[in-house]
Amino acid sequence: MSDDKTVLIANGQGFWGDSLLGPKRLVEEGPLDYLTLDYLAEVTMSIMQKQKLRNPEAGYATDFVSMLKEILPTCKEKGIKVIANAGGVNPKGCLKAIKEVVKELGLTGIKIGIVEGDDILDQLPELIASGEEFKNLDTGAPIQDVLDKISSANVYIGAKPIADALDQGADIVVTGRATDPSVVVAPLIHEFGWSMEDYDKLAAGTVMGHILECGAQCTGGNYNGWRDVPNFARIGYPIVEAKADGTFTVTKHEGTGGLVTVDTVVSQIMYELGDPKNYLGPDCKSDFTTIQMEQDGKDRVKVWGIKGSEPTPTYKVSMAFENGYKIVGQLTYTAPDAVEKAELAAEILFERVGMYGKEIPKEDRFVELFGTNVCYKGIYKQEQEPGEVMLRVGAKSDDKNLLNILGRELAPLITSGPVGVTGFAAGRPRPTEIVGYWPALMDKTKVHTTVTVEEV
Amino acid sequence: MAKVKLMDIAIARSGDKGDGSNVGVKAKTPAIYEFLKANLTTEVVKEHFKEICFGEVTRYELDNLNVLNFILEDSLGGGGTETLIMDAQGKVHSLAMLYLEMDVPDELLA
């Protein structure tokens, strides 16, 4: 292996629902070795678990499969490998769907790998019996508080099993709950033969993954200098050019919109950051205070010097539990006295719900007058009364029926409440389930991942 | 000395961390970073966000990137998946931070 070998990795999907143009343009508009795609947020796993309960074939990111249909011929032609955590709670189901797509496209010689073992929902009782406490990482509360309401439980697995799948020749690798950076670390381990004890390199890969994980958020998206961002509509998604020693350059395809500067890259580094000295991941601990960076030409930022250390002996577990219901509806109130009238409307609504025989307790009520600084509170100074406000009104409850009554009583305010009301086009709101989030830790040695590679 | 908004001397980005949010602030120059390190304290930030953040404020320093990272605990009304508020993930806490006014020495603004 020569020292100047460069591996190009791009991320085309920052979350489940990100633009399909990202991956399509990344494979078409320039050179690339690996395309990574991130689909899983905390809530997503629980939604997928419900889909799987209704249909055992479901429970993965179906968008991924339809998107693959569009890009796979180009990927095959250019030798681009695809890594995605699109497997959700059913990587096997995803594998089956991908095989069908490959056949439909008439392609052959495509190897598809899946990584399983992150889903520990069925093993929870035995794991608890073996001494795993699964205390809530944020609140310290015991798992017994929510055990009968848990709807999904997944371990954030690391890069190693994904790299193993690549070592076995996989062109597409699908995982369940892998960490966002691990899908980027994996091809580096595979390409450069990095050891799992070389923590500085794994940390460099983790930082690459953190920079890439939100897609266009490091190429000018959601950036303070938005006026300086050229051609937003055709914004380029981020690419790293990685070297064997862990140094890398952040860039994007030539001719695309957006920009890559130290400021856009640092903005992404700051996103969802906790203690920068101890960025914890399954592969290593990364020290973000060691990152060195400089502009290296137009739309090129060079990064080096990253230090890492041994990972903790635990994996992070993400669980979802059913935590009652919520409802939010909206009406618009206009001047004069828009704020006062909207407040009155909310009071009337809660009183009328009570007239059906059951009050919604004060602490479970929700009233937000959008347009009166609800995002900035007192921080942004607003001198004049707004010309209109949006009343967002709702509640939380274990009693779905009570929330249904609230949903029904919203529209009647138009004809039997204060004047200057409009904006009910969205129709009657319905209660939706609240998905509670339960983060915890568990002993790494009790998690067993498996890799399966099949050729079509 | 001139009274300026933080948005004139820094950029920022925020996101959610459980029931709290993180706000990263990057100074436009190393000299401004030193000024912010001395003056953008957890007390100042806590006071600025008093109607948004009801928990503790923690500050981390990244001297290498001219960045201060703040964690605002109890600032999302129950956390990303449960809250009903519009800014469920603290996405605009970064801009709210940049509205903070400070007395900045003239030589740093040149």
Side-chain angles (χ1 to χ4, degrees):
Chain A
M1 179 184 67
S2 70
D3 280 348
D4 56 2
K5 173 173 162 179
T6 304
V7 177
L8 269 59
I9 308 173
N11 180 31
Q13 202 81 163
F15 59 98
W16 191 17
D18 199 355
S19 172
L20 296 174
L21 295 168
K24 209 167 150 23
R25 292 180 44 225
L26 272 169
V27 301
E28 284 169 4
E29 295 178 1
L32 201 61
D33 297 314
Y34 290 87
L35 175 69
T36 68
L37 306 154
D38 178 27
Y39 286 92
L40 302 181
E42 279 81 25
V43 192
T44 318
M45 300 304 278
S46 152
I47 296 168
M48 289 173 164
Q49 193 71 47
K50 287 213 174 68
Q51 292 173 341
K52 194 184 171 190
L53 281 176
R54 281 195 296 266
N55 171 10
E57 305 268 301
Y60 58 87
T62 47
D63 302 23
F64 169 68
V65 180
S66 47
M67 192 266 299
L68 210 50
K69 201 173 186 169
E70 300 213 19
I71 64 166
L72 209 50
T74 315
C75 290
K76 162 102 175 158
E77 185 194 318
K78 292 181 155 183
I80 302 168
K81 292 174 186 253
V82 180
I83 306 171
N85 58 8
V89 296
N90 190 2
K92 274 202 181 76
C94 191
L95 171 68
K96 198 176 157 202
I98 296 169
K99 280 159 79 175
E100 278 162 22
V101 163
V102 175
K103 279 181 202 151
E104 220 179 296
L105 290 169
L107 297 173
T108 52
I110 305 266
K111 285 186 174 171
I112 308 152
I114 55 168
V115 176
E116 295 173 284
D118 62 295
D119 193 338
I120 56 162
L121 184 63
D122 295 339
Q123 301 156 43
L124 276 183
E126 52 178 295
L127 286 168
I128 290 167
S130 80
E132 291 303 316
E133 290 189 51
F134 298 116
K135 274 191 302 202
N136 187 302
L137 207 49
D138 294 335
T139 66
I143 186 75
Q144 283 69 23
D145 287 1
V146 295
L147 196 53
D148 55 343
K149 295 189 284 187
I150 300 274
S151 53
S152 71
N154 298 77
V155 175
Y156 284 82
I157 60 164
K160 187 65 173 59
I162 306 171
D164 289 345
L166 294 170
D167 288 348
Q168 291 176 41
D171 301 296
I172 302 165
V173 185
V174 168
T175 74
R177 184 68 273 191
T179 69
D180 308 350
S182 291
V183 295
V184 172
V185 177
L188 299 164
I189 295 170
H190 166 69
E191 291 280 343
F192 296 125
W194 287 355
S195 139
M196 292 310 288
E197 274 81 48
D198 196 341
Y199 302 121
D200 289 348
K201 294 206 177 83
L202 297 176
T206 302
V207 172
M208 289 182 226
H210 182 73
I211 291 171
L212 294 178
E213 72 179 70
C214 296
Q217 253 195 183
C218 79
T219 53
N222 190 21
Y223 168 58
N224 286 126
W226 61 276
R227 283 187 197 279
D228 304 329
V229 179
N231 203 355
F232 256 121
R234 287 177 174 74
I235 195 163
Y237 275 59
I239 299 167
V240 293
E241 300 172 353
K243 297 281 189 192
D245 63 0
T247 62
F248 61 97
T249 299
V250 185
T251 185
K252 62 188 185 67
H253 282 326
E254 233 170 276
T256 56
L259 78 169
V260 181
T261 65
V262 168
D263 277 358
T264 66
V265 175
V266 172
S267 289
Q268 176 53 25
I269 283 178
M270 297 192 292
Y271 184 65
E272 290 183 343
L273 184 60
D275 175 359
K277 276 190 173 301
N278 291 292
Y279 185 87
L280 302 180
D283 307 311
C284 65
K285 266 188 238 163
S286 307
D287 183 351
F288 278 35
T289 69
T290 61
I291 302 172
Q292 302 300 312
M293 201 180 282
E294 71 180 18
Q295 195 76 34
D296 184 32
K298 185 175 181 280
D299 293 323
R300 295 181 65 81
V301 170
K302 199 176 160 190
V303 188
W304 72 96
I306 297 155
K307 296 283 174 206
S309 55
E310 197 179 344
T312 62
T314 51
Y315 277 126
K316 188 173 175 184
V317 184
S318 166
M319 296 191 218
F321 66 99
E322 292 151 18
N323 201 14
Y325 300 89
K326 63 182 172 185
I327 189 167
V328 186
Q330 62 190 52
L331 287 174
T332 296
Y333 283 86
T334 56
D337 310 316
V339 173
E340 217 179 315
K341 289 186 294 188
E343 279 169 349
L344 176 61
E347 274 172 44
I348 298 167
L349 176 67
F350 287 118
E351 195 172 336
R352 284 191 186 150
V353 172
M355 288 159 75
Y356 282 82
K358 202 171 168 194
E359 290 263 350
I360 295 173
K362 286 230 158 45
E363 66 272 19
D364 293 334
R365 298 177 185 183
F366 173 76
V367 179
E368 187 174 83
L369 300 187
F370 204 75
T372 62
N373 264 321
V374 291
C375 291
Y376 290 163
K377 295 280 173 7
I379 287 171
Y380 175 81
K381 306 283 179 264
Q382 190 174 37
E383 274 151 29
Q384 279 192 325
E385 159 104 356
E388 75 239 342
V389 296
M390 192 207 292
L391 167 66
R392 299 183 69 234
V393 62
K396 289 185 186 182
S397 179
D398 287 331
D399 183 348
K400 199 174 177 180
N401 242 343
L402 187 60
L403 298 185
N404 265 320
I405 292 171
L406 189 150
R408 259 200 324 265
E409 282 297 331
L410 190 67
L413 283 166
I414 299 168
T415 50
S416 61
V419 67
V421 59
T422 184
F424 195 63
R428 182 189 296 175
R430 307 269 176 198
T432 53
E433 289 168 22
I434 298 177
V435 178
Y437 173 55
W438 192 275
L441 297 174
M442 74 171 285
D443 181 354
K444 268 186 179 168
T445 60
K446 292 179 187 165
V447 175
H448 307 285
T449 53
T450 58
V451 175
T452 314
V453 178
E454 292 187 16
E455 186 172 333
V456 183
Chain B
M1 287 285 205
K3 205 173 238 346
V4 300
K5 288 195 175 72
L6 194 50
M7 67 178 70
D8 295 323
I9 54 173
I11 59 172
R13 180 164 292 171
S14 58
D16 62 330
K17 303 287 299 167
D19 192 16
S21 55
N22 97 294
V23 183
V25 176
K26 180 185 185 293
K28 287 192 175 166
T29 67
I32 291 170
Y33 174 68
E34 290 307 321
F35 169 80
L36 292 179
K37 222 168 133 175
N39 294 285
L40 191 59
T41 61
T42 54
E43 290 77 20
V44 168
V45 171
K46 172 83 186 161
E47 172 62 22
H48 184 64
F49 281 97
K50 61 176 185 284
E51 292 194 41
I52 289 176
C53 169
F54 302 104
E56 213 175 302
V57 173
T58 310
R59 185 179 91 166
Y60 296 105
E61 296 158 8
L62 291 90
D63 294 348
N64 52 325
L65 301 175
N66 297 327
V67 165
L68 295 173
N69 184 38
F70 295 89
I71 308 295
L72 313 181
E73 284 173 27
D74 192 3
S75 63
L76 297 177
T81 64
E82 302 206 18
T83 186
L84 300 180
I85 62 172
M86 183 66 93
D87 188 21
Q89 287 151 327
K91 292 271 180 195
V92 299
H93 287 180
S94 54
L95 289 171
M97 174 74 95
L98 294 179
Y99 273 103
L100 196 147
E101 286 190 329
M102 306 184 89
D103 286 313
V104 181
D106 295 332
E107 64 269 25
L108 292 182
L109 300 171

